[in-house]
Each structure stands twice: as structure tokens, then as C-alpha cells.
Amino acid sequence: MSGPTRPRETSVAIVGAGPAGLMLALLLDRYGVPSVVFDAEDAEDAAAHRPYATTHNARTMEHYRRLGIAAPIRRLGLPAGHPGDIACFTRYGSHELARLRQPGTTELLRQAAAAPQTDQLPEPVHRAHQADVDAFLYEHARSRPNITVRPGRRITALAQNAQHVTLHAERADRPAEDWTARYAVACTGCGSAVRRALGGHRTGPGPQGRQGSARPVTAARLRLPTFHRDVCTGRRAWSYWAVNPDLVLLLMALNGEDEFCLLTDLAAVTDAGGTAAPAGIADLVRRAAGRPLPVEVVGHRPWTPGAPPAAEPFMKGRVLLIGDVAPLPTPSGGFGLNTGADAAANLAWKLAAVLRGWGGPRLLATYESERRPVTLRNTAAARKLAEGPAAIERPTDLEADTPSGAAARDRIGHLLRRHAEHTRSLGVQLGARYDGSPIVAPDPEAEPPGDSWGTYTPTSIPGGRAPHLWLDDWHGPGSSLFDRLGPWFTLLRLGPEPPDAKPLQAAAQAHGMPLTVLDIDLPAARDLYERDLVLVRPDQHVAWRGNHLPTDPGDLVARVTGAGPHRPGRPV
């Protein structure tokens, strides 16, 4: 009789095959770290029908670029020439209240190709349904040598000790599996076994409805085959709002033709049992259109825009958390998806450094100290944007063909245009900073820029995203400074006669920290970065800057790797 099956082994167990989990696996693969991704569902069966976010912001697109997949992802979603407008109507077949004209992918990429040398948008925002991008990421992950995907496997038990985490994975039609991992990362909902191992709960006030209570939302994926032909016949848009005394509803175009994602108050589409029903969703769409039209509800689910972050720790022993600890997406910002992707970029290099042996004992703790403030910041922005059109008073004569109705539409249109402008949120996208982090060496001669949700100020002051720079006139692959950065730490030597990098290279080699040295003799680069030397982390945030190296470069290496203060003659 055979004994118990020996557990399978991996470096990192990732529980959840959503965008954050897949991004983490792909970044770990880039660093040569094996991982296993457990997906409780068979992605091929479910993902295509789930309604999720549609906005992949500029920072997320930069992460895709690092992985070499930005171009194929841009082939998903809206056609390249489709406008990115945000358009607001009383009803889709009636009065247009406001429109924020925004370029589509073709025009955005044309602008990037002709942009100034110091332009900060090498990868502009892209509109594509999360389920479609997830499907691409899933198949790409399955092709990578360091990633194992276990579809249909639900983690039902987890335990940990000082050396590893053990996980029990079950699937209804297959034998159960036991795994051991050096670390486990939860990218799942609050009810999972991994989340229970962390403890805690979601806390704090949710987004406020018109009477001050939390306002849950229904998201649905729809097919509307006659929408453009018979209802909304003018210039097309990415985002279509219907705002009238009867309802507020948002449709986001998915393929530019007949597929849409719907967002509206959950209460507006619930049946007598209190759950969202396809018939209620279809009826609401027809009311928003102001006329009959065929509606197919492909899939739907509830969520709460701008929900507060979870109260559980981001790390407990060898178990870490990303995913819906980030704010859930707003109708206009997709902040949940994008905050999760940025969190994965922060965590991936730290896990890889620790697993490779040069990450210090303090390094992983900085994942929470750096990312929790960003999560709270993005949650606040998400909640503010989620108020949006639903918070605007809608007078009873808004749809009337009368002078008072026209005046009401002008007034509401002005408010809607202001809201649409706020959705640009470039500061949220690129402005995350890790000021005060123990692995960031502050510049005593400079103050970080003030935080702004709407605008981004490029600066090499340590803690923020390294400013972008085009290194040639082509603006293609390899032209971006980000394309030239090494996979690990990179020391930029700027200007015609920068200081010698050899002392820092020697200190990094002694510690085992991989370091790339990149010389850039462009006046615009020295002007943008304001120092002769800048140390950039693997996640493209600035760790240190100066006009000469520290007296003891080993102290700097120890700091940025989480090893703590370095003392000559003592091992780091």
C-alpha cells in the first residue's frame, strides 16, 4: 500500500488568477522565480462572461511594456480609431448633455510618437475589457517557463511555519493536491482560505449614496446589436452616461459595435427576492435608451465602487495579500485593476530579492508600509469619482422641451463636463510615492511635490516613479528610458562627466545585489533628473539620488535592499 503523496514544491503560490495574480506571476517569471497560480474556476469557462473594468491606465501599460506585452494588449478592446469620448445624455436616444472628447488608441500613439523628449506618457491609457485582457494574460502565463497554472483548483486549507507555507488544493473532478511554497500570495476575495489565514475584515465607510448610505452597484456585460443603428446614432464614445430624473446608468463600449459593460445602482435592477435579475437589467437599459431595443445580458455581478480597503495586514508570516485589498474600481477609473497591478510590481521584486538571497530581513515588510498609503489614497480618489453623476441633483424638467428644461440641461451638462474632466486622474495613475519608506534614501535638499489626483509632476526626488525620457527620435521599442533600465537596480549616470560608479558596483557585488549602470549623456536627461547619479529600483521608483556617491556605498546598498544599516567589517 502506497504512502501519502509527497507535496509538490514551488517558490511562490499565487491564489487567484485575476489581473493582480497573473501580473505577479509574470513579473516573478521575469526575475526567474517559479510560481504556481491557483484558479478556483476554469478561466476558459467563466472569464469571457464576467463584467469587470475596462481601463488599463498609463502605469499599468508601462508594466505591460516591461513584460513585452503592451502591443498585443493594445490589439484587444476598442478598435484603434474608436473615440475615447465620455458622452452624457438624458436618454441615449434623446438630448446630449455633455461630451468630453478624447482620442482613441491610434491618435494617442500618434501623439506619443511625436511627443517631446521629456513626455511622461510612453504608454497612454488603453480601453479593453478586463476579461479579455485576463484571458490573454492567462494564456501568456501558461506559456512561460517559470509559471504553473492550476485551473479549477480551490485552496481549502493553508498552514505556515518559519520555513514555508503548505496549501491543500481541491478540484471536484480530480484528486486533491498538496503544495509547499516559500511564500503564498492571496489575490482572492475575502472568503477564501488564504484571506482567512490573514484575518481582519473590510472596514470604514463605503461610498455614499444620495441619502448617505453605501451604494452597491450592478455590473453587467451586454450585447446591444441595434444600439448604434437605432438609438445613439451620432459620434461614438467609450463611455455613455444616461442621466435623468428616473435613473443614472453607464454603458462602456467593449468592441466598438455591440458589446458593452453596464454599471448602475443595484437597487434599480433587483427582483422581488432582492437579487439582480437579467430581466431587470434589460428593462433598465431600454428605459435609459428611451425606446425599445434588443438586450442580451451575457453576465452580471454586484460590487461596491471605491469600497474601503481591507483591515487585515498585507503580510502575516509568509502569507501576503494583493488584489481586492486595493479599492474596487470606479465607473470611470478602473482603480482596482490598476492599483492591484502596481502592487504586484512592488511586491514581485521584493519576493524575488528575498528568494535569491540578497533581499534583507526588512525588505518584505516595506510592501505594506509602501502600498497601504497608496491604497488609501487611491480608495479616496475612487470614492470621489464614484459619486459622479449619481450625486448630481436631477430636476424633474430635465427632459422637457421647454425653456426651463433647456436651462436645466445646460446646468447639468456643465456639472457633468466638470466630472468628466476629473476622470483623467493622471496624478493617481503616475503619482504614487513611497516617501518615508525605510528602503528609500531621502534627499535632504528637496521636498517631494504635493499630491494631486489630476496632475503628475515628474521628479527624481527619491520615492516616486522615475521620470520618463525618450532617448531618440524614433519613440519605438528600445527608445524609452524604461526600455534601457535593467531588470533589477539601475544606476543612471547623467551628463557629460558623471562620477565613477565603481565603488557602488563593488558594494552591490559584495552584497549580491544585481546592478546595471546606464550612462545617458543628454542635456534633457540631466535637467529632468537634476542630479548626476540616480539609483532606480526594479519597480522603476527612485531609491536614491546625488551628485556623488555616499562615503560608504555599502550603507546605501544595505538600505535599499532592506538589510538595515551597514557597518564596515560586519556582514550585511
Side-chain angles (χ1 to χ4, degrees), residues 195-253:
R195 291 290 292 270
R196 291 195 299 272
L198 284 162
H201 58 278
R202 210 172 269 286
T203 187
Q208 300 299 301
R210 299 184 70 188
Q211 277 71 47
S213 59
R215 186 167 55 84
V217 167
T218 289
R221 186 166 185 168
L222 310 175
R223 288 196 182 94
L224 308 176
T226 65
F227 181 79
H228 290 300
R229 187 190 71 196
D230 297 338
V231 180
C232 204
T233 58
R235 175 181 165 93
R236 298 191 180 188
W238 158 65
S239 175
Y240 299 86
W241 283 97
V243 180
N244 58 64
D246 180 36
L247 56 84
V248 174
L249 183 145
L250 169 62
L251 292 175
M252 290 178 288

Side-chain angles (χ1 to χ4, degrees), residues 16-104:
L22 293 169
M23 178 70 81
L24 178 63
L26 289 167
L27 288 166
L28 288 172
D29 171 69
R30 185 171 184 259
Y31 299 132
V33 173
S35 68
V36 174
V37 181
F38 296 96
D39 186 11
E41 298 180 317
D42 285 302
E44 296 89 343
D45 297 336
H49 302 297
R50 297 173 185 157
Y52 290 125
T54 63
T55 298
H56 303 260
N57 75 19
R59 187 66 182 134
T60 298
M61 293 304 302
E62 289 174 358
H63 294 316
Y64 293 153
R65 184 182 183 115
R66 275 204 291 159
L67 293 168
I69 57 176
I73 285 176
R74 287 198 184 277
R75 290 194 285 271
L76 304 172
L78 290 178
H82 192 282
D85 294 7
I86 298 175
C88 304
F89 304 82
T90 54
R91 297 184 194 266
Y92 295 129
S94 186
H95 303 283
E96 182 170 314
L97 295 168
R99 181 180 291 263
L100 177 65
R101 291 191 173 235
Q102 298 190 124

Side-chain angles (χ1 to χ4, degrees), residues 295-316:
V295 179
E296 178 187 354
V297 180
V298 179
H300 63 94
R301 70 181 179 97
W303 53 267
T304 304
E312 68 259 53
F314 286 27
M315 179 178 179
K316 187 175 181 180

Side-chain angles (χ1 to χ4, degrees), residues 285-460:
V285 172
R286 295 184 183 107
R287 286 161 51 201
R291 63 192 63 182
L293 78 163
V295 179
E296 178 187 354
V297 180
V298 179
H300 63 94
R301 70 181 179 97
W303 53 267
T304 304
E312 68 259 53
F314 286 27
M315 179 178 179
K316 187 175 181 180
R318 291 180 171 269
V319 181
L320 300 104
L321 171 65
I322 56 176
D324 78 347
V325 69
L328 290 168
T330 72
S332 301
F335 289 171
L337 181 159
N338 296 295
T339 302
D342 208 31
N346 182 286
L347 179 58
W349 77 268
K350 295 173 181 178
L351 279 172
V354 170
L355 290 166
R356 284 175 167 263
W358 57 266
R362 298 170 178 84
L363 184 59
L364 277 180
T366 67
Y367 168 60
E368 175 157 3
S369 64
E370 291 186 345
R371 289 304 303 180
R372 187 177 285 277
V374 175
T375 295
L376 293 172
R377 166 192 186 257
N378 290 4
T379 299
R383 291 180 60 205
K384 186 67 176 177
L385 280 175
E387 294 172 3
I392 294 174
E393 193 67 31
R394 292 163 272 149
T396 56
D397 61 350
L398 183 61
E399 299 180 85
D401 290 323
T402 63
S404 65
R409 289 191 289 276
D410 286 343
R411 184 173 69 255
I412 301 305
H414 174 71
L415 295 174
L416 290 169
R417 276 189 293 273
R418 287 178 57 190
H419 168 74
E421 288 284 352
H422 293 160
T423 65
R424 297 185 190 274
S425 64
L426 191 60
V428 175
Q429 297 179 47
L430 302 181
R433 296 192 56 84
Y434 303 141
D435 300 313
S437 171
I439 60 170
V440 170
D443 185 340
E445 300 178 357
E447 286 290 329
D451 190 20
S452 168
W453 296 346
T455 59
Y456 165 69
T457 303
T459 175
S460 70

